[in-house]
Amino acid sequence: LKGQTALANGQKPNALLSAPFALGSSEAQAVASIRKHGPLSRTEIADVTGYSRSKITSVINTLTHLGVLEEIGDGESNGGRRPRVLNFCPEFGYLVGVDMGATSLDVALTNFNGQIIYRLSHVIDVRQGPEVVLSLLRDLVLETLTQLGIQASKIYAFGIGVPGPVEFSTGLLIAPPIMPRWEAFPIRTFIQETFPCAIVVVDNDVNVMALGELRAGSGNNHENFIFVKVGTGIGAGIVCNGQIYRGSNGCAGDIGHICADRNGPPCHCGNIGCLEAIAAGPTIAKRAMEAARNDPDTVLAKFMDEQNGKLTAHDVGRAAMEGDRIANEIIRESGRMIGEVLAGLVNFYNPSLVLIGGGVSNIGHQFLASIRRGILHRSLPLSTRHLRIDTSPMGADVGVMGAIALALEHVFVVENGHAKYVKP
Amino acid sequence: LKGQTALANGQKPNALLSAPFALGSSEAQAVASIRKHGPLSRTEIADVTGYSRSKITSVINTLTHLGVLEEIGDGESNGGRRPRVLNFCPEFGYLVGVDMGATSLDVALTNFNGQIIYRLSHVIDVRQGPEVVLSLLRDLVLETLTQLGIQASKIYAFGIGVPGPVEFSTGLLIAPPIMPRWEAFPIRTFIQETFPCAIVVVDNDVNVMALGELRAGSGNNHENFIFVKVGTGIGAGIVCNGQIYRGSNGCAGDIGHICADRNGPPCHCGNIGCLEAIAAGPTIAKRAMEAARNDPDTVLAKFMDEQNGKLTAHDVGRAAMEGDRIANEIIRESGRMIGEVLAGLVNFYNPSLVLIGGGVSNIGHQFLASIRRGILHRSLPLSTRHLRIDTSPMGADVGVMGAIALALEHVFVVENGHAKYVKP
């Protein structure tokens, strides 16, 4: 236990963090139990871990000396003296959650309990490449820290969701279609140059969103569910036995190029009839613009006039709300196709929950209704008997909340049974 | 530890089995380590379990007194005296593996090490209902036991694969399409009337086959793979993180009714273009019979003549082997459609292995080649980079071997950390 040794030498707890040090596996168990259940008394930690009272006393002493845990007041009594409850010391360190989109950067700074203390959004163009975008991210975080009087060395983890396929073990993007310049760029190293005490965990944005739902959203009672992001592209995050499932190469959930119609339109990937080419945001917008050109007497045509001849999927949703028949039909068709592909995945995977999120998911209630119909129409009765199909209740926040959950899960990396801080 | 108590009272070990008794969790750990690694010395069991030498001595004493384990001779020496190696006592008890098809019953009887000591097959019609089929199964097993001089009370587990959806926790068939009379029939209770010391584990046949591949076939180096059975129907068994994945209702892998072609033929399920309606055995046979009628100058037509105007998928395979162009085309088309649907599942699930089994899988090398082409054509490059696509090497044995693996995994049921025999 390097940590304990260092303490014995009289150093201040936080000085320990400039060198890699490991928590003993007992300390790691205690930390994990509070991460999972929230604030606990010593007795409750003993119940969860199965350790003796004397061992718990020693473990908690170590963790409070290190400054990881603190007593936060009295818990509920079972008759006798009310027990002191332990929780993470919020100022022990800070975490950054990043939700990177093709055109937006959403950042949350939280304390060690995962409570947001600062939140910001910035317009970006991810195609400008990793140096430009990550320098901006770095500067935004540094600026925030200066405002709040927090040192960069107090950031202990970054969780980052990116819109492309990630090799999770290395944190590298592999052949990312919409951000080719990011291929194999060392995001971890770049961040750790400025935040040397941070571990950096990078994952595909949809996996991160699924994790957000699992930890803080609709998914937390579901062992097996699918989170579907519908936006410029279509992708899925898979939760299996209560954990993110990444597949053998880390690219599980890439459902945008599943064939939805063998006689469908060509896709930018070179294939025919991909779901993404039929039902994602750009296609919804394109169909609406065609319809508006053909019939100038519609709400869609009015919107297009107001916006210099351009429409987005969001505009189609607005037009549908105002009763535009074609807009409604386009939305229904998109939902139906997504539902039919999801029906196949429901037959295969038998989840208890399908959550629809992403920028296009709030395009109108017809969208969810059509996805539901598509799924129910083509799935087997047994697999839909207890299936819930819904939009993500966390909405736009699911990305940063998932990124914070990712950071929280990895801030104590467990290796060989020991949780440790990993230095760059 | 009821077992130890009973021993202390001087009863014979096997008498214990007439009453439910539990192994301590330490004994269960030792048993599990040998199940996983094969015969081990005491030192090796200590290494695997992390127990002290003195604890291991006590645990092994208990297990050898009970007759579960026995010493089978000397292991490899590290210099000193050669250590004694422990394994399951083969005669401690016996297991039955059953692979039930629509028209066939395959049964294997093994010793407690899972080695087959008797194997039989019988023609059945599963539509005759559970009483008829299970009575036959019971009589076949009893007959075998009489021949071998083994008591029915020495059968400690039945693993049974059935061709329909199973609620795994209860072992009941739920709305089974090809065997409606089996709906919710208590298979466990029926078997246990004759074999009172047996635990009975029932699962869907394709899950059982996937388990067979996982434990004894191609799947044992793969954490995530899909086993596809192509026969009268089409279904999949899913292995996730080294375990059978059953989904939220136990019906995961039901891929036969995924839409393969929105403009395809109607399916018996009431939908249009289901994979099963396009590519399974009966459709292959039906297409071949149509072709033979249209062109009497073909190998297919010759075979049909020889078989009273009937063809099976197997005949189409034979005709293809003899160079019949239409037969080859039918096989290729079936393989291609299966491959295209599997491509979507590969994009979603990112397995490292897809295994093709079932009665139709050996219809000719064109079949596998077309499935491969279909998958590679429509899957994303990252998800197929390390993907192996192959036919099941275990062939017709995979069902009974999987059923034995199922029995072996459950013969010691672990409940609350204790492995125990479960009495009916």
Side-chain angles (χ1 to χ4, degrees):
Chain A
L1 270 184
K2 283 193 189 175
Q4 283 177 317
T5 314
L7 269 180
N9 293 343
Q11 295 178 22
K12 283 174 69 186
N14 288 344
L16 299 173
L17 293 172
S18 57
F21 83 111
L23 290 180
S25 62
S26 311
E27 283 76 15
Q29 289 281 340
V31 161
S33 63
I34 297 179
R35 210 41 108 202
K36 185 166 181 193
H37 300 283
L40 296 176
S41 69
R42 284 170 174 79
T43 312
E44 289 166 328
I45 297 172
D47 286 347
V48 173
T49 56
Y51 296 151
S52 66
R53 287 300 292 267
S54 65
K55 186 168 187 181
I56 286 295
T57 303
S58 140
V59 162
I60 301 303
N61 282 349
T62 303
L63 290 169
T64 48
H65 277 305
L66 287 170
V68 176
L69 298 185
E70 63 172 15
E71 293 188 339
I72 57 159
D74 295 340
E76 280 179 33
S77 165
N78 287 324
R81 197 160 59 90
R82 290 210 273 173
R84 313 302 302 271
V85 171
L86 292 144
N87 199 8
F88 293 102
C89 179
E91 292 82 26
F92 177 69
Y94 298 86
L95 310 164
V96 178
V98 180
D99 177 21
M100 192 185 293
T103 58
S104 63
L105 194 64
D106 273 88
V107 182
L109 177 74
T110 76
N111 63 24
F112 209 62
N113 281 321
Q115 289 154 337
I116 293 182
I117 51 179
Y118 202 86
R119 175 76 204 270
L120 62 89
S121 296
H122 208 283
V123 172
I124 59 164
D125 181 351
V126 82
R127 292 171 301 180
Q128 289 187 295
E131 286 89 354
V132 173
V133 175
L134 292 177
S135 297
L136 173 69
L137 170 63
R138 178 194 62 204
D139 296 345
L140 290 169
V141 174
L142 283 177
E143 222 168 84
T144 305
L145 293 179
T146 304
Q147 274 179 42
L148 298 170
I150 296 169
Q151 291 183 321
S153 61
K154 292 282 272 181
I155 303 291
Y156 291 157
F158 269 73
I160 306 180
V162 294
V166 173
E167 191 175 63
F168 187 69
S169 58
T170 60
L172 302 179
L173 281 138
I174 306 291
I178 67 165
M179 48 203 295
R181 291 176 57 187
W182 291 69
E183 166 93 39
F185 183 85
I187 299 177
R188 280 186 190 169
T189 315
F190 187 99
I191 299 286
Q192 287 173 333
E193 274 168 20
T194 310
F195 304 95
C197 295
I199 66 150
V200 180
V201 193
V202 184
D203 202 353
N204 173 264
D205 58 351
V206 195
N207 285 348
V208 171
M209 289 174 185
L211 185 66
E213 293 289 350
L214 178 67
R215 295 285 172 248
S218 288
N220 61 11
N221 291 318
H222 294 265
E223 286 284 293
N224 307 303
F225 72 87
I226 306 178
F227 179 95
V228 182
K229 181 193 174 195
V230 186
T232 308
I234 297 177
I238 304 169
V239 170
C240 179
N241 299 325
Q243 294 197 304
I244 297 296
Y245 172 81
R246 294 189 175 86
S248 297
N249 297 84
C251 64
D254 212 337
I255 67 170
H257 299 279
I258 292 181
C259 182
D261 184 354
R262 305 181 81 227
N263 305 304
C267 177
H268 61 83
C269 76
N271 257 318
I272 299 284
C274 294
L275 179 60
E276 209 165 282
I278 293 177
T283 300
I284 292 173
K286 189 173 144 238
R287 287 208 183 129
M289 289 189 278
E290 279 165 16
R293 267 180 229 111
N294 289 337
D295 191 348
D297 216 25
T298 56
V299 181
L300 278 177
K302 190 185 79 181
F303 285 172
M304 195 155 85
D305 260 6
E306 292 166 5
Q307 294 173 174
N308 305 319
K310 285 272 177 198
L311 284 173
T312 64
H314 180 70
D315 299 324
V316 184
R318 284 198 302 138
M321 292 273 279
E322 292 194 16
D324 188 294
R325 194 180 53 78
I326 304 279
N328 265 310
E329 202 168 291
I330 291 168
I331 289 170
R332 272 201 300 270
E333 173 68 7
S334 167
R336 192 168 62 89
M337 297 305 289
I338 292 169
E340 286 188 12
V341 166
L342 289 179
L345 301 179
V346 164
N347 283 351
F348 174 76
Y349 191 66
N350 185 206
S352 57
L353 173 68
V354 173
L355 280 175
I356 312 292
V360 174
S361 65
N362 293 315
I363 199 172
H365 70 280
Q366 283 291 345
F367 189 62
L368 180 64
S370 303
I371 291 175
R372 274 205 185 114
R373 267 198 302 274
I375 292 176
L376 296 176
H377 175 57
R378 286 233 53 132
S379 293
L380 296 162
L382 185 57
S383 60
T384 54
R385 192 186 280 179
H386 302 113
L387 178 65
R388 203 183 121 202
I389 304 160
D390 228 324
T391 47
S392 160
M394 299 180 76
D397 274 345
V398 66
V400 283
M401 292 311 293
I404 288 296
L406 192 66
L408 282 170
E409 286 198 351
H410 290 84
V411 65
F412 293 98
V413 175
V414 176
E415 244 171 51
N416 305 322
H418 291 256
K420 64 173 181 178
Y421 293 91
V422 176
K423 237 197 77 105
Chain B
L1 272 182
K2 281 193 190 175
Q4 283 178 318
T5 314
L7 268 180
N9 292 343
Q11 294 178 24
K12 282 173 68 188
N14 289 343
L16 299 173
L17 293 171
S18 57
F21 82 110
L23 289 180
S25 61
S26 311
E27 283 76 14
Q29 289 282 340
V31 162
S33 63
I34 297 179
R35 213 37 111 203
K36 185 167 179 192
H37 300 283
L40 296 176
S41 69
R42 284 170 174 80
T43 311
E44 290 167 327
I45 297 172
D47 286 347
V48 173
T49 57
Y51 296 151
S52 66
R53 289 298 294 266
S54 66
K55 187 168 187 181
I56 286 295
T57 303
S58 141
V59 162
I60 300 304
N61 282 349
T62 303
L63 290 169
T64 49
H65 277 304
L66 287 170
V68 176
L69 297 185
E70 63 171 15
E71 293 187 341
I72 56 159
D74 296 339
E76 281 179 32
S77 166
N78 286 322
R81 197 161 58 90
R82 290 210 274 175
R84 313 302 301 272
V85 171
L86 292 145
N87 198 9
F88 293 102
C89 179
E91 292 82 27
F92 176 70
Y94 298 86
L95 309 165
V96 178
V98 181
D99 177 20
M100 192 184 294
T103 58
S104 63
L105 194 64
D106 272 88
V107 182
L109 177 73
T110 76
N111 62 23
F112 210 61
N113 281 321
Q115 290 153 336
I116 293 183
I117 51 180
Y118 202 86
R119 176 77 204 270
L120 62 89
S121 297
H122 207 283
V123 171
I124 59 165
D125 180 351
V126 83
R127 291 171 301 181
Q128 288 188 294
E131 287 89 354
V132 173
V133 175
L134 292 177
S135 298
L136 173 68
L137 171 63
R138 178 196 61 206
D139 296 346
L140 289 170
V141 174
L142 283 176
E143 220 168 87
T144 304
L145 293 180
T146 304
Q147 274 180 42
L148 298 169
I150 296 169
Q151 291 184 321
S153 61
K154 292 281 271 179
I155 302 290
Y156 291 157
F158 268 73
I160 305 180
V162 294
V166 173
E167 190 174 66
F168 187 70
S169 58
T170 61
L172 301 179
L173 281 138
I174 307 292
I178 67 164
M179 49 202 294
R181 291 175 58 188
W182 290 69
E183 165 93 39
F185 183 86
I187 300 176
R188 278 186 192 169
T189 316
F190 187 99
I191 298 286
Q192 287 173 332
E193 275 168 20
T194 309
F195 305 95
C197 296
I199 66 150
V200 180
V201 193
V202 184
D203 202 353
N204 173 265
D205 57 353
V206 195
N207 286 347
V208 171
M209 290 174 185
L211 185 66
E213 293 290 350
L214 178 67
R215 296 283 172 249
S218 289
N220 62 11
N221 290 317
H222 293 265
E223 286 285 292
N224 307 302
F225 72 86
I226 306 177
F227 180 94
V228 182
K229 180 193 174 194
V230 186
T232 309
I234 297 177
I238 304 170
V239 170
C240 179
N241 298 325
Q243 295 197 303
I244 297 296
Y245 171 82
R246 294 188 174 85
S248 297
N249 298 85
C251 63
D254 211 338
I255 67 170
H257 300 279
I258 292 182
C259 182
D261 185 354
R262 305 182 80 226
N263 304 306
C267 178
H268 61 84
C269 77
N271 258 319
I272 299 285
C274 294
L275 179 61
E276 206 164 285
I278 293 178
T283 301
I284 291 173
K286 190 172 142 238
R287 287 208 183 129
M289 289 189 278
E290 280 165 15
R293 267 180 229 111
N294 290 337
D295 191 349
D297 217 26
T298 56
V299 181
L300 278 177
K302 190 185 79 181
F303 286 173
M304 195 156 86
D305 260 6
E306 292 167 7
Q307 295 174 171
N308 305 318
K310 285 272 177 198
L311 285 173
T312 64
H314 179 70
D315 299 324
V316 184
R318 283 197 303 137
M321 292 272 280
E322 294 195 15
D324 189 293
R325 195 181 51 78
I326 303 278
N328 265 309
E329 202 168 290
I330 291 169
I331 289 170
R332 271 200 301 269
E333 172 69 6
S334 168
R336 193 168 61 88
M337 298 304 290
I338 292 170
E340 286 188 12
V341 166
L342 288 179
L345 301 180
V346 164
N347 283 351
F348 174 76
Y349 191 64
N350 185 207
S352 56
L353 173 69
V354 172
L355 279 175
I356 312 293
V360 174
S361 64
N362 293 315
I363 199 172
H365 69 280
Q366 282 292 344
F367 189 61
L368 180 64
S370 304
I371 291 176
R372 275 206 185 113
R373 267 198 301 275
I375 292 177
L376 296 177
H377 174 58
R378 286 233 52 132
S379 293
L380 296 162
L382 185 57
S383 59
T384 53
R385 194 186 280 180
H386 303 112
L387 177 66
R388 201 183 123 202
I389 305 160
D390 228 325
T391 46
S392 161
M394 300 181 75
D397 274 345
V398 67
V400 283
M401 291 311 293
I404 288 296
L406 192 65
L408 282 170
E409 287 199 349
H410 290 84
V411 65
F412 292 100
V413 174
V414 176
E415 245 171 51
N416 305 322
H418 292 257
K420 65 174 181 178
Y421 293 89
V422 176
K423 239 198 75 106

